[in-house]
Amino acid sequence: QPQEISGFIVSPKEHMSRASEIANLVMTQPNLEEQWFKREKKTFLDSAAEREIKAAGLAWNLFREATLGEHPYKRFWSLQPIEGIESIELDEINDWHKRAFSSKALTITVAGNADIESINSSIDTVLTGMPDSQRKPMTEFEGAQISDQTILVHKPDVEKSVLLIVGRLPARTEELDVPVQLGVGVLGWGKQSRLFTAVRTDLRAAYGFGAGVWNMTREQRVLHLSGEVETGKAQDVLDKVRESYENFRTKGVSLIEFQVARKFYVQRVRDEIKEPSSVAYMMMDAKLTGFSDAYFPGLLGRIQSQNRADVNETIKSTFPEFDSMLKIIVTPDANAIEGACVITAIDQWTSCPR
C-alpha cells in the first residue's frame, strides 16, 4: 500500500509496558545507521534487477508501464528507475521519517487479553514525543487504465513463458467483499480451481495457473490471471483460459464449488481470529476500507449466510469480460501467440495498437 504504513506490537500482557517503550523508540528515535541502510538498499536494487530478467517480473513491470502513465506509484511498485534507487542517501530516509509519522494521523486497533487501563497506557507510551501534524492529503490515483491489448514481449533467454491477464474490479464494499472472495477462490485458488484444472490438469501445460486480486489502493483494485506455462502450448493456454474464464463469469459457480469454497473461507477466518494479531489486522483493514464497525464482528455470519445466487450475480456483474482485459506474454518464442503485438523491450509497448 503506497498510501499507508502499518505496524504491530505483539506482546504478552505482562510485557506490554516494556514493548511499548521499545516501539516508541523505534518510532521516534530510530537507529537508521549506514550499514543497515546499505543492506536495505542492496535488497531493493537486487529485487529491481531481478524483475528485469525474470519473465514474471517483466510481465508485471509492463502491466504497470502500460496502465499507470507517469503516476509516481508506478515507480514505487516497479522499483524503477534503478538509478533513482541508487541515488538515495541515508539523510533522505531520515528526513522522510521525520515527516512520515504523526499522533494525529493514526488509526489504532487492539485485540487480546490485556485490560483497558494497560492498553490505554501503552498507547500513550507509544505516542509520546511523536509529532502531532495533521494527515496530509493522499496522492490522487484513478487506478490502472486498462485496454484490450495482447502484447508479447520476446525474450529469447527466458526459460519459460509467463502469461498475465489483468482487468479492473470495482472498489471493495461490504456487500461485494465476501462474494468476490468466494468467486476468486473458485476461479483460481488451489489445485481444484477452474484455472488450475483447465491449464494444469487438462492441458498439462503448466505447474500451476491461478487468479488473485491486487488491491492497489483501498479504492482501486484489479483481477489478475497468471501462470508460468510451456512455451509450445502458450496459444492453447490462452484459448483455454478464455474459455474457462468466460464460462465461469457468465454461468457462475456450481453448487458443489460454492459449498466447498464457503466451507474453506469460514475455516480460514476461524483460524485467523484465534490470533490477536490477525484480529487487530482485520479490524484495521475494515476500518481503513471504510466498512462499518459491525462488519468484522459479523464476518463469519456474513460468510455462512452467503448464497450461491448472490455470488454468481456478483461474478457476472463485476468481473471484467475477458475481451476487455490486458493480456501480456513474456516468452522466448516471438510467434507463440497469434495476432499479438510483438516487442522486445517494455518501452516499446506504445507502438502496440489500442
Side-chain angles (χ1 to χ4, degrees):
Q1 281 279 358
Q3 296 182 338
E4 62 197 46
I5 304 168
S6 60
F8 297 89
I9 303 173
V10 181
S11 170
K13 61 181 180 180
E14 61 268 22
H15 298 312
M16 281 282 291
S17 177
R18 181 56 181 150
S20 301
E21 292 173 0
I22 295 171
N24 174 260
L25 288 173
V26 172
M27 297 283 283
T28 61
Q29 303 175 50
N31 183 24
L32 305 179
E33 49 90 23
E34 190 68 35
Q35 288 303 114
W36 162 85
F37 173 69
K38 289 180 179 179
R39 288 194 302 270
E40 291 298 313
K41 186 174 180 177
K42 183 178 184 304
T43 298
F44 272 83
L45 288 170
D46 290 346
S47 179
E50 185 177 32
R51 295 182 192 191
E52 294 190 335
I53 59 174
K54 297 288 186 179
L58 285 166
W60 276 108
N61 276 1
L62 174 55
F63 164 73
R64 290 182 283 264
E65 187 66 30
T67 62
L68 299 184
E70 294 306 313
H71 199 280
Y73 290 172
K74 179 180 71 175
R75 301 193 299 272
F76 170 79
W77 283 316
S78 294
L79 299 180
Q80 296 290 336
I82 290 180
E83 295 77 14
I85 301 174
E86 290 174 334
S87 67
I88 297 174
E89 300 294 339
L90 180 56
D91 287 345
E92 295 176 81
I93 305 299
N94 282 313
D95 289 341
W96 167 84
H97 180 271
K98 294 174 183 177
R99 303 189 307 271
F101 299 97
S102 169
S103 60
K104 290 187 177 179
L106 296 174
T107 300
I108 300 172
T109 55
V110 181
N113 61 354
D115 60 82
I116 190 66
E117 289 78 13
S118 62
I119 290 171
N120 287 338
S121 176
S122 294
I123 292 173
D124 289 341
T125 298
V126 172
L127 301 184
T128 298
M130 191 178 294
D132 61 355
S133 54
Q134 296 294 330
R135 187 191 301 269
K136 295 181 179 179
M138 293 183 181
T139 302
E140 291 188 8
F141 179 62
E142 297 181 355
Q145 305 305 303
I146 296 172
S147 60
D148 172 28
Q149 294 175 288
T150 302
I151 304 175
L152 186 152
V153 185
H154 182 216
K155 292 292 181 181
D157 294 333
V158 298
E159 295 182 2
K160 295 180 180 178
S161 299
V162 164
L163 178 61
L164 173 65
I165 304 164
V166 190
R168 291 188 66 157
L169 284 172
R172 291 176 63 188
T173 67
E174 293 187 23
E175 293 71 27
L176 292 180
D177 219 41
V178 170
V180 168
Q181 290 281 351
L182 289 169
V184 174
V186 172
L187 176 63
W189 289 349
K191 295 182 179 180
Q192 303 303 317
S193 68
R194 293 281 187 96
L195 293 178
F196 189 97
T197 299
V199 177
R200 168 62 175 162
T201 307
D202 295 350
L203 286 181
R204 311 295 294 180
Y207 288 111
F209 202 95
V213 176
W214 178 18
N215 295 314
M216 305 178 81
T217 65
R218 295 196 175 275
E219 292 77 31
Q220 304 292 343
R221 59 182 181 161
V222 295
L223 172 72
H224 55 89
L225 324 177
S226 63
E228 190 177 72
V229 304
E230 185 178 332
T231 298
K233 295 182 178 180
Q235 183 67 59
D236 293 336
V237 170
L238 183 60
D239 294 340
K240 189 71 172 178
V241 169
R242 176 194 297 272
E243 176 188 349
S244 179
Y245 176 78
E246 278 302 306
N247 181 272
F248 163 83
R249 192 185 65 81
T250 56
K251 297 181 180 179
V253 302
S254 70
L255 178 59
I256 293 177
E257 287 175 324
F258 171 73
Q259 292 174 334
V260 170
R262 185 174 60 179
K263 178 182 177 181
F264 275 102
Y265 195 3
V266 166
Q267 189 58 51
R268 190 180 75 187
V269 172
R270 281 177 174 162
D271 290 341
E272 287 181 349
I273 61 178
K274 292 176 182 178
E275 297 294 330
S277 57
S278 296
V279 172
Y281 174 82
M282 295 168 77
M283 291 166 59
M284 174 75 73
D285 181 62
K287 186 70 174 178
L288 292 179
T289 306
F291 291 177
S292 68
D293 292 340
Y295 179 80
F296 172 71
L299 180 57
L300 270 178
R302 185 183 292 267
I303 300 169
Q304 291 168 327
S305 64
Q306 192 70 56
N307 65 72
R308 183 166 71 99
D310 288 345
V311 171
N312 286 342
E313 176 57 33
T314 297
I315 292 170
K316 189 172 185 179
S317 62
T318 66
F319 281 47
E321 294 183 10
F322 191 85
D323 286 343
S324 72
M325 301 172 81
L326 173 61
K327 297 91 178 170
I328 295 172
I329 304 93
V330 180
T331 175
D333 180 5
N335 300 307
I337 301 295
E338 297 174 6
C341 175
V342 180
I343 61 177
T344 58
I346 287 178
D347 59 5
Q348 295 173 0
W349 77 270
T350 54
S351 66
C352 297
R354 305 186 72 168

